[in-house]
Amino acid sequence: MKMEEWGYVLDYLPTGKPMDRTFEAVAQVVGDRYLTLLEVIIIKGKDVKIDQKIGIGKDNRSEVEKIKRRMQFSELTNNARSALPKALEKIVGERENEFVNFFNRCGPITLRQHQLELIPGIGKKHMEDLLSEREKEPFKSFEEMKARIALLPNPAHMIVDRIMIELEGKDKYYLFVRPPALAGTEGYGGHGGYGGEHGSGHGPGGYSGGYGHGFRGRR
């Protein structure tokens, strides 16, 4: 299982959480590759700021002592929840090509439902237009998508909204976020063991064998 290498700080608690008795400086972080919510211990004497991008991989830590555990959305502080959408916007912007490729390659979930319909803001008409246009020529950017599809909402914002739905556990399908870990499986502090497969570092696992492998059932 591949681990996160970099992440954005959502909240920094220099004396730890109120219920903790260790008084360790901790930060709540979202990974920029698999969108994992993590609690990390900050090296004594170091400080981090909200929205800061920090190394969390084993070989690139300058502020982080260790990964403490994987978190659920419900465990985030109010500050972390407020900072999360902005961090996701940065991540989606940095990985625009990959998310544009999602629109070029995604396929059906069932005979009656397409993955595009899981994206907030995409109804039947937009889905039909997207599928028709990508057959003519693959999309190259979010701006091109907006130019070619009439009245299409901001694609980056739609992706962020979908990621939020998955992080909050509001849907059974995972297009971009690693599914919840099973208790006792291998991973971050015993909370890892993500579902889905992963391919060559191109994206997180999700429905139909994993985003990293590409989506099945192209039209």
Side-chain angles (χ1 to χ4, degrees), residues 6-26:
W6 299 90
Y8 281 96
V9 176
L10 304 176
D11 199 6
Y12 174 50
L13 306 168
T15 58
K17 292 182 296 184
M19 299 299 292
D20 288 346
R21 298 182 179 180
T22 59
F23 300 105
E24 294 174 313
V26 299

Side-chain angles (χ1 to χ4, degrees), residues 1-2 33-34 174-179 193-216:
M1 182 190 71
K2 295 182 179 180
R33 175 54 49 183
Y34 305 109
Y174 290 84
L175 300 180
F176 308 119
V177 176
R178 277 174 166 164
Y194 307 93
E197 296 179 38
H198 308 280
S200 63
H202 291 294
Y207 191 78
S208 294
Y211 182 30
H213 288 282
F215 292 90
R216 298 176 187 167

Side-chain angles (χ1 to χ4, degrees), residues 112-176:
R112 296 185 178 183
Q113 189 176 24
H114 197 281
Q115 288 175 325
L116 285 173
E117 296 177 88
L118 299 181
I119 306 298
I122 295 183
K124 291 289 186 182
K125 181 63 168 63
H126 280 140
M127 181 187 74
E128 292 173 359
D129 290 345
L130 284 163
L131 294 175
S132 176
E133 283 295 319
R134 77 181 191 182
E135 286 298 315
K136 299 175 185 177
E137 183 179 359
F139 299 109
K140 298 181 178 64
S141 69
F142 289 146
E143 285 302 315
E144 183 188 328
M145 290 175 62
K146 290 167 62 178
R148 290 170 59 185
I149 306 297
L151 303 178
L152 183 72
N154 187 309
H157 292 170
M158 292 192 292
I159 294 293
V160 169
D161 289 344
R162 178 63 205 182
I163 292 171
M164 287 293 296
I165 287 172
E166 295 179 23
L167 287 174
E168 293 178 43
K170 292 183 176 180
D171 196 353
K172 63 182 178 180
Y173 296 118
Y174 290 84
L175 300 180
F176 308 119

Side-chain angles (χ1 to χ4, degrees), residues 3 17 24 39 58 60 69 76 86 125 149 155 158-159 165 191:
M3 299 292 190
K17 292 182 296 184
E24 294 174 313
E39 184 175 86
K58 291 183 179 180
N60 65 340
R69 65 191 182 99
L76 294 177
K86 182 178 179 181
K125 181 63 168 63
I149 306 297
M158 292 192 292
I159 294 293
I165 287 172
H191 292 267

